[in-house]
DNA sequence: AAAATATATATAGTTTAATATATCAAATGA
DNA sequence: TCATTTGATATATTAAACTATATATATTTT
């Protein structure tokens, strides 16, 4: 129903998994009950802003508001980090040679 | 206490004002009570995620989660739009000639 | 197969967001 | 000055988030 919301929740789960964290691990780190994390990820509850921020921070994510106009540019930054050959976790190369969204830090600064 | 939260609320108010909208106008457009908007902007309440998104969308903002690492790059995009000479609303020129954060659209695509 | 781990789900109790509505004070404008 | 607009604040009610805890159901590992 709400694209922005679904997208946000999906990001949370994606990044958690990318960090190879279980809901329990995230629970331990964030202080939120595992059951609550499950409910949030599945859209069963509508978390409070502070809860979302807490969860995000634990996953080293920051929440920001972006003018809709700037969204494409911002997405471009968030999605990839530049053109690299070997890319994904398992050594696969994505079609366009770009990193997947929310890839783990391989420290490429 | 929570930088991310304060920042978010500040952005909401800033953009609302930049659009020359009163809380009542925003209320009418978003469907949320003016009293609630006031409480949210002042951090009196901890809004639900859906509420924040609703408010943001009304102001043509999208909420996204950004890897902390990418934050500087993203902020750079959100803050300015390039180097222009005359800049601010009233024709002032900022010191570095960049647009202020969350400037109104002058359509510079 | 059994054990361990991970996720989804349930219940009961507490806290708080959200609503409608109204009012007050301060700023703005006629 | 008087009227309007704006934002903050208050109250009462309803809905829902959040907590702790427990359990059931996968999924993975040994």
């Amino acid at each position: 129903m709400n694209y922005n919301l679904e997208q946000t929740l999906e990001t949370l789960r994606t990044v958690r998994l990318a960090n190879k964290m279980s809901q329990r691990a995230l629970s331990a780190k964030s202080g939120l009950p595992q059951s609550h994390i499950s409910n949030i990820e599945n859209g069963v509850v509508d978390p409070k802003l502070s809860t979302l921020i807490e969860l995000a921070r634990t996953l080293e994510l920051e929440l920001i508001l972006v003018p809709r106009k700037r969204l494409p540019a911002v997405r471009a930054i968030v999605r990839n980090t530049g053109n690299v050959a070997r890319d994904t976790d398992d050594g696969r190369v994505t079609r366009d040679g770009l990193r997947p969204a929310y890839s783990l830090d391989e420290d490429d600064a």
Side-chain angles (χ1 to χ4, degrees), chain A residues 14-21 59-60 79 81 87-89 99-108:
Chain A
T14 300
V15 173
R16 175 176 64 79
L17 293 174
N19 278 73
K20 297 188 198 317
M21 258 192 211
L59 295 168
E60 311 207 74
R79 301 199 85 83
T81 303
D87 210 358
T88 51
D89 232 47
R99 300 230 174 108
Y102 297 99
S103 59
L104 256 293
D105 289 327
E106 291 96 21
D107 238 296
D108 42 70

Side-chain angles (χ1 to χ4, degrees), chain A residues 50-69:
Chain A
S50 64
T51 304
L52 178 74
I53 289 177
E54 198 55 46
L55 225 43
R57 293 189 89 106
T58 308
L59 295 168
E60 311 207 74
L61 296 172
E62 295 286 331
L63 180 150
I64 69 170
L65 293 174
V66 177
R68 193 166 298 150
K69 273 218 149 165

Side-chain angles (χ1 to χ4, degrees), chain A residues 31-50:
Chain A
L32 300 170
Q34 174 269 324
S35 59
H36 200 212
I37 292 174
S38 171
N39 284 331
I40 290 170
E41 281 187 355
N42 292 315
V44 175
V45 297
D46 185 2
K48 292 195 286 179
L49 176 55
S50 64

